[in-house]
């Protein structure tokens, strides 16, 4: 999988329904943790960057209430459609989902009270440059909130998947993993926020395990960014990867998904 912006959006759109099958067990808890740290207040404005199916945007919309506003922006049209559906079902008229390149999103007024990005910054082509663009969308005194995987998260599932794919193709380490490795500890994430110009950095750790079966493990593989690893493989090759993946999960007794995230926040003077 490349980090080209349209490619990332296409990959997540193609796996949108599989992605959403993990909303309740994974994406929503991570999104709720993000919104909890961001702590949007009643009446505030929020930009949710790389919003996906609304995991962090929806709790933000609940928090800001009818007087507030949430703009949820992503390139994955399939996920945006799910987010819009979820917002309608909840009766949240204060949230809007937008198909747009988030780093060039037109900022209203003097910026947002909160700009939050859950599990997205390491997919940017240039994490520092593009995250700095997001930070400039924060109003003076507002908060920039970033959620990333902690080092070691998803370990058993991820190792089994990568080893299985390597039986069919060469798999160089992708740029997003290199970028994530720079901010996957509390200290490095706080330092990175400071380097972006943020003040009072704070990092909150959240960890939970969720049950994993070979079937749900494969749904996650095809419904997240890892789906891009199958691009160009024949259907028969993909089935061989699935069989090898299942065998490795079973051999290694991987029955839970190790979910560990870091939520970092800092204030920006604008």
């Amino acid at each position: 999988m490349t980090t080209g912006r349209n490619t990332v959006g296409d990959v997540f759109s193609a796996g949108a329904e599989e992605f959403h099958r993990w909303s309740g067990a994974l994406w929503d808890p991570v999104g709720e943790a993000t919104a909890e740290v961001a702590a949007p207040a009643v009446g505030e404005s929020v930009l949710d960057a790389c919003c996906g199916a609304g995991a962090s945007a929806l709790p933000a919309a609940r928090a800001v209430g009818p007087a507030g506003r949430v703009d949820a922006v992503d390139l994955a049209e399939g996920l945006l459609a799910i987010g819009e559906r979820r917002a309608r079902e909840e009766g949240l008229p204060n949230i809007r989902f937008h198909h747009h390149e988030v780093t060039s999103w037109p900022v209203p007024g003097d910026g947002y009270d909160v700009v939050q990005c859950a599990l997205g910054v390491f997919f940017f082509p240039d994490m520092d440059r593009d995250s700095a663009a997001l930070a400039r969308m924060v109003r003076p005194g507002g908060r920039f909130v970033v959620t990333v995987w902690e080092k070691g998260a998803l370990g058993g599932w991820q190792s089994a998947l990568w080893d299985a794919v390597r039986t069919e193709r060469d798999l160089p380490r992708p740029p997003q993993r290199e970028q994530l490795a720079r901010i996957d500890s509390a200290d490095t994430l706080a330092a990175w926020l400071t380097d972006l110009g943020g003040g009072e950095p704070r990092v909150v750790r959240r960890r939970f395990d969720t049950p994993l079966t070979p079937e749900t493990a494969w749904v996650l593989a095809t419904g997240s960014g890892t789906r891009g690893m199958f691009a160009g493989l024949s259907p028969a090759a993909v089935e061989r990867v699935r069989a090898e993946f299942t065998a490795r999960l079973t051999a290694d007794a991987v029955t839970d998904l190790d979910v560990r995230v870091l939520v970092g926040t800092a204030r920006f003077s604008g």
Side-chain angles (χ1 to χ4, degrees):
M1 177 179 174
T2 69
T3 54
R5 300 183 185 197
N6 289 333
T7 301
V8 171
D10 291 344
V11 166
F12 278 95
S13 278
E17 289 303 324
E18 291 89 348
F19 180 100
H20 187 43
R21 285 175 63 182
W22 269 94
S23 286
L26 176 59
W27 309 123
D28 287 352
V30 171
E32 288 159 7
T34 302
E36 179 184 347
V37 173
V42 172
E44 286 194 320
S45 60
V46 178
L47 172 64
D48 192 294
C50 309
C51 67
S56 51
L58 294 170
R62 296 180 207 119
V64 300
R69 163 187 180 178
V70 176
D71 286 315
V73 182
D74 204 295
L75 286 173
E77 293 182 277
L79 294 181
L80 291 168
I82 293 172
E84 289 175 336
R85 184 179 75 215
R86 298 177 75 191
R88 286 196 303 271
E89 289 171 352
E90 280 201 48
L92 293 171
N94 59 343
I95 183 171
R96 294 289 183 272
F97 288 85
H98 310 273
H99 180 247
H100 201 282
E101 166 51 59
V102 71
T103 58
S104 62
W105 176 250
V107 181
D110 62 352
Y112 291 90
D113 296 296
V114 177
V115 173
Q116 59 185 28
C117 185
L119 304 178
V121 295
F122 43 86
F123 282 108
F124 288 147
D126 185 318
M127 184 173 70
D128 296 340
R129 179 198 66 201
D130 297 331
S131 298
L134 289 185
R136 288 193 293 271
M137 300 180 190
V138 179
R139 68 160 180 79
R143 291 97 69 202
F144 183 41
V145 182
V146 174
T147 300
V148 300
W149 299 113
E150 186 179 18
K151 184 176 182 178
L154 313 180
W157 170 85
Q158 185 169 255
S159 295
L161 179 61
W162 280 71
D163 289 344
V165 174
R166 286 192 183 99
T167 64
E168 295 290 334
R169 70 180 335 161
D170 291 332
L171 201 60
R173 187 175 173 90
Q176 61 264 32
R177 290 190 72 182
E178 300 289 351
Q179 296 196 127
L180 174 60
R182 294 175 43 217
I183 54 173
D184 63 0
S185 72
D187 289 344
T188 56
L189 179 56
W192 179 75
L193 288 167
T194 300
D195 289 343
L196 287 178
E200 306 172 38
R202 179 171 67 98
V203 177
V204 176
R205 184 175 186 260
R206 291 284 185 269
R207 178 174 184 171
F208 59 92
D209 293 339
T210 188
L212 194 67
T213 67
E215 179 187 0
T216 60
W218 185 248
V219 170
L220 182 59
T222 57
S224 61
T226 53
R227 184 186 183 97
M229 295 194 298
F230 310 132
L233 293 180
S234 69
V238 172
E239 281 305 309
R240 289 194 297 270
V241 169
R242 180 174 184 170
E244 181 66 22
F245 178 44
T246 296
R248 289 175 181 270
L249 290 172
T250 301
D252 295 340
V254 179
T255 57
D256 290 287
L257 189 68
D258 177 10
V259 181
R260 283 178 272 166
V261 295
L262 302 170
V263 187
T265 181
R267 290 194 174 273
F268 282 74
S269 58

